[in-house]
Amino acid sequence: MKVIENSFGSASSHVPTEWAAIDWRRVQKNVRVMQIRLTKATQEGNWRRVKSLQRWLTRSFSAKALAVKRVTENQGKRTAGVDRQLWDTPLQKFAAIAQLEKRRYRPLPLRRVYIPKANGKERPLGIPTMKDRAMQALHLLALDPVLETTSDPNSYGFRKNRSTADAMSQIFLQTCRKASAQWILDADIEGFFDNINHNWLIDNVRMDKTILRKWLKSGVVDRAQLLATTAGTPQGGIISPALANWTLNGLETELTAYLGTQVGKSKVEKLKVGVIRYADDFVVSGASQELLDIEIRPWIEAFLAARGLRLSQAKTKIVHIDQGFDFLGWNFRKYEGRLLIKPSKKNVDAFYEKLRKVIGERLMVKQEDLIRLLNPMLRGWAQYHSPVVAKEALSRMESLLLWRLMRWAKRRHPSKNAGWIRQKYWRSVGGRNWVFAADVVAKDGSKKVMELYSLAGTPIERHRKIKGEFNPYDPQWEEYGEALRQERMLKNIGYRKELATLYMNQRGTCALCGYEMNMETGWHDHHIEYRVAGGSEALRNRVLLHPNCHARVHSQNLQVVKPVPV
């Protein structure tokens, strides 16, 4: 049975009667249509219509179902709030859709947990209940199109299809030339998430004010004690990144407008001012130290003060590009007039410490299990730095890792000599020596070699930056966004050529629901003819499905048709 909805997305009498019967392709389409309308109304500045469309969307069956789907499939699905309830079963998930009503809604306090930070301190997270998470996801569907349409062009944190590499590329464009800006204001906001002014958020965020006020004032349970929340937005809520971005939106566009009133619009370009922001971290380029210190910094301080925020006096500094600065794990510095971007020393040291700890705590695990654990870590770190000048750092890290693994092996076999240890744990593969590898038995019974990921072998590739004006909810950007999404997805799975081939053949969409697959949605490799029934590993017998669609295929015994290759 399918979800049949009118053009406004409100459910008709023909609604599914169980979770497995929901037509997710139609649900996604209904929400998408409404978000496109929201984008158009925002572009026109028709705020009454925006409010009306948001009300329609948050009351629709499709949006509610999609909100429940998100919170029951993401990484936090097994983390409960103060009520200790989880939505594990299809029955619970379907019943939850009907609970997402504004009338008599009252959020419960957040559950405070602490996670370690890189500097040794702890970061407080506020964990909402499942119902509160779903309500946040529901209202985020209505807020995000408005936020994307009004966001600064060079804001890259917590936005669709934007990444740290895009922010890095924009800094490169802003500072790489001989005539580019030479001075950088490296800013740091003191206690950003803890100090945002609630009244400012309620007055300025374009969403349901009653719901937002309830979230902000819900309180937090910390070590069995209920505490009131008078300022800030908790880290851990689904809508928190959107509220953070909304708080700092205008930092780029309003600063440019202010400078235009001071020196004239025609002369603003000569100041070489550029604001590049990722979440609450940002840098500002300028033609001179005096411009940044006397003109721009006081303006930024006033901009933040209106929102209950302030710059950290200890961490905020103005530096020359020849001196260099760290941002998002990279060091930006000019050497004899040439800008080089390298992994920062702090980032390299932190990653090595992580490897040291992981290896040191697993003295007795099998070699193949250690490789399985290390490979995602190594690949992720290497791919993060692959768009910058990282060859030297990667090779250095590989040498340190070799030494660390040799020490791991010697501690396992204290009575054996180095030759014996090398023969047992290392081998030559192709033209590479000292490859940490082990023989493993595949599911089909065949033997194959499992190798440790080669950091030094990671290719260095220039990142193609997203266009600042891109809006994922604007139909005129549809073709560009589709090409960008597929390009970045293929880069992430390119090391597994079979998956890349399946992804291209399916045009980047799920073989069951037809909706896009990306790093956020995830994917499963499904065999059309099950392997237990004699199905082969050949590509003609495999398709990629969303994890939820994969579960639906098996629970309902659905037959998936192999898509026609592009």
Side-chain angles (χ1 to χ4, degrees):
M1 188 178 293
K2 294 184 178 181
V3 182
I4 302 176
E5 300 189 343
N6 60 32
S7 58
F8 298 115
S10 58
S12 72
S13 58
H14 296 86
V15 295
T17 56
E18 58 181 352
W19 182 258
I22 296 176
D23 184 348
W24 291 109
R25 186 171 187 174
R26 187 173 183 91
V27 162
Q28 298 275 10
K29 182 179 179 181
N30 288 334
V31 173
R32 176 74 177 175
V33 167
M34 187 62 68
Q35 289 177 325
I36 290 173
R37 292 181 182 181
L38 270 168
T39 300
K40 184 178 179 182
T42 304
Q43 290 169 339
E44 295 170 350
N46 190 344
W47 299 113
R48 289 187 63 184
R49 179 159 176 76
V50 167
K51 186 175 180 179
S52 176
L53 289 170
Q54 286 181 323
R55 188 184 303 115
W56 262 325
L57 181 58
T58 54
R59 293 178 178 179
S60 71
F61 177 87
S62 290
K64 292 177 181 179
L66 203 58
V68 173
K69 183 176 186 289
R70 174 174 179 176
V71 301
T72 55
E73 293 180 8
N74 62 14
Q75 290 184 342
K77 64 183 179 181
R78 301 193 187 280
T79 305
V82 292
D83 61 354
R84 300 295 177 181
Q85 291 185 6
L86 295 175
W87 294 339
D88 292 320
T89 66
L91 190 63
Q92 289 174 320
K93 295 176 185 179
F94 191 77
I97 297 175
Q99 299 177 30
L100 304 186
E101 296 288 345
K102 178 182 177 180
R103 186 180 299 176
R104 293 188 296 275
Y105 170 65
R106 183 168 183 171
L108 293 175
L110 305 168
R111 182 166 70 90
R112 175 62 52 82
V113 297
Y114 294 89
I115 60 173
K117 295 171 65 174
N119 59 8
K121 298 181 180 179
E122 291 184 321
R123 184 191 305 278
L125 293 184
I127 309 298
T129 63
M130 291 297 292
K131 181 178 179 180
D132 293 336
R133 265 178 266 175
M135 283 293 284
Q136 289 187 17
L138 173 63
H139 284 269
L140 181 59
L141 290 172
L143 176 64
D144 203 43
V146 183
L147 177 60
E148 282 289 342
T149 307
T150 57
S151 286
D152 291 332
N154 292 307
S155 163
Y156 298 100
F158 305 119
R159 295 179 62 189
K160 288 181 181 293
N161 294 324
R162 297 185 182 231
S163 65
T164 52
D166 290 312
M168 175 272 296
S169 299
Q170 181 60 28
I171 295 176
F172 177 84
L173 294 174
Q174 197 74 28
T175 58
C176 66
R177 299 177 182 85
K178 187 176 181 180
S180 297
Q182 299 296 303
W183 290 91
I184 301 293
L185 171 63
D186 184 6
D188 183 89
I189 301 175
E190 195 173 280
F192 175 72
F193 283 93
D194 297 330
N195 295 309
I196 302 174
N197 186 282
H198 283 179
N199 292 332
W200 188 93
L201 285 173
I202 294 167
D203 291 341
N204 290 275
V205 178
R206 297 281 182 176
M207 66 167 290
D208 190 302
K209 310 293 184 186
T210 304
I211 294 290
L212 178 58
R213 183 180 288 106
K214 287 180 178 181
W215 287 336
L216 296 175
K217 304 296 184 182
S218 64
V220 59
V221 175
D222 188 2
R223 299 181 178 92
Q225 184 177 5
L226 178 61
L227 305 174
T229 47
T230 57
T233 176
Q235 300 181 64
I238 286 177
I239 206 166
S240 294
L243 297 180
N245 271 335
W246 196 288
T247 302
L248 294 179
N249 267 346
L251 193 60
E252 179 181 1
T253 53
E254 291 180 26
L255 176 58
T256 304
Y258 164 75
L259 293 173
T261 63
Q262 299 299 302
V263 301
K265 293 182 179 180
S266 61
K267 297 181 180 179
V268 171
E269 263 189 51
K270 295 181 181 179
L271 300 178
K272 302 173 184 177
V273 173
V275 180
I276 300 96
R277 178 168 65 85
Y278 189 90
D280 60 320
D281 295 322
F282 66 94
V283 295
V284 184
S285 63
S288 69
Q289 183 178 10
E290 292 74 19
L291 172 67
L292 292 174
D293 195 24
I294 299 173
E295 196 73 37
I296 292 178
R297 181 166 178 163
W299 183 91
I300 291 175
E301 288 174 342
F303 176 90
L304 295 176
R307 293 153 174 76
L309 304 169
R310 64 180 181 181
L311 292 175
S312 168
Q313 299 302 315
K315 297 181 180 179
T316 300
K317 55 189 177 182
I318 297 174
V319 299
H320 194 275
I321 193 66
D322 290 345
Q323 179 184 348
F325 64 97
D326 290 348
F327 188 65
L328 301 176
W330 292 299
N331 178 261
F332 299 77
R333 184 179 175 184
K334 273 190 175 179
Y335 299 82
E336 298 180 353
R338 184 185 181 190
L339 179 68
L340 295 182
I341 307 172
K342 303 178 180 180
S344 68
K345 184 179 184 303
K346 182 179 178 181
N347 182 275
V348 171
D349 291 345
F351 184 67
Y352 178 68
E353 178 61 24
K354 184 178 179 179
L355 291 178
R356 186 197 67 77
K357 187 175 181 181
V358 167
I359 296 171
E361 291 176 350
R362 288 163 177 82
L363 182 62
M364 300 312 296
V365 301
K366 293 181 179 178
Q367 184 184 13
E368 56 263 36
D369 292 335
L370 184 61
I371 293 174
R372 285 192 184 97
L373 184 65
L374 290 175
N375 273 352
M377 296 168 55
L378 298 173
R379 184 178 291 111
W381 188 75
Q383 287 186 348
Y384 183 84
H385 293 296
S386 64
V388 303
V389 185
K391 207 68 177 178
E392 182 180 338
L394 292 172
S395 297
R396 167 74 174 158
M397 184 63 70
E398 186 155 286
S399 297
L400 291 172
L401 180 60
L402 173 62
W403 179 84
R404 180 59 60 184
L405 289 172
M406 177 61 76
R407 185 175 178 181
W408 170 86
K410 285 181 176 179
R411 289 178 65 191
R412 288 168 66 93
H413 308 283
S415 61
K416 300 295 184 179
N417 60 38
W420 184 93
I421 289 174
R422 179 185 176 180
Q423 188 173 8
K424 179 174 178 61
Y425 292 105
W426 280 269
R427 64 187 69 185
S428 296
V429 178
R432 296 166 55 216
N433 298 320
W434 285 93
V435 178
F436 192 70
D439 294 320
V440 295
V441 179
K443 293 180 180 179
D444 58 3
S446 62
K447 287 187 177 181
K448 61 180 182 179
V449 177
M450 177 183 290
E451 303 175 22
L452 188 70
Y453 179 81
S454 173
L455 290 172
T458 304
I460 304 299
E461 299 177 0
R462 175 73 62 86
H463 178 78
R464 188 164 74 93
K465 191 185 86 71
I466 193 171
K467 293 181 179 179
E469 306 80 24
F470 171 70
N471 187 335
Y473 300 104
D474 190 336
Q476 70 173 341
W477 289 98
E478 187 76 26
E479 186 176 348
Y480 172 84
E482 183 74 11
L484 183 74
R485 177 178 62 82
Q486 291 194 21
E487 176 187 319
R488 295 189 174 182
M489 182 73 169
L490 285 172
K491 184 179 179 180
N492 279 291
I493 65 173
Y495 67 94
R496 299 176 65 181
K497 294 183 179 179
E498 291 185 346
L499 291 185
T501 301
L502 291 172
Y503 183 82
M504 286 299 296
N505 288 344
Q506 296 175 207
R507 305 183 185 184
T509 60
C510 173
L512 182 69
C513 71
Y515 192 69
E516 67 181 41
M517 287 184 295
N518 52 39
M519 298 303 293
E520 184 178 338
T521 64
W523 65 88
H524 281 176
D525 187 357
H526 171 71
H527 292 72
I528 298 173
E529 184 180 357
Y530 297 169
R531 283 174 294 177
V532 294
S536 72
E537 289 285 339
L539 293 183
R540 63 178 178 274
N541 189 49
R542 294 159 60 188
V543 291
L544 297 182
L545 304 173
H546 289 130
N548 184 72
C549 293
H550 195 199
R552 185 180 169 197
V553 166
H554 285 279
S555 65
Q556 296 181 272
N557 293 320
L558 302 179
Q559 183 67 33
V560 182
V561 178
K562 180 74 175 177
V564 178
V566 180

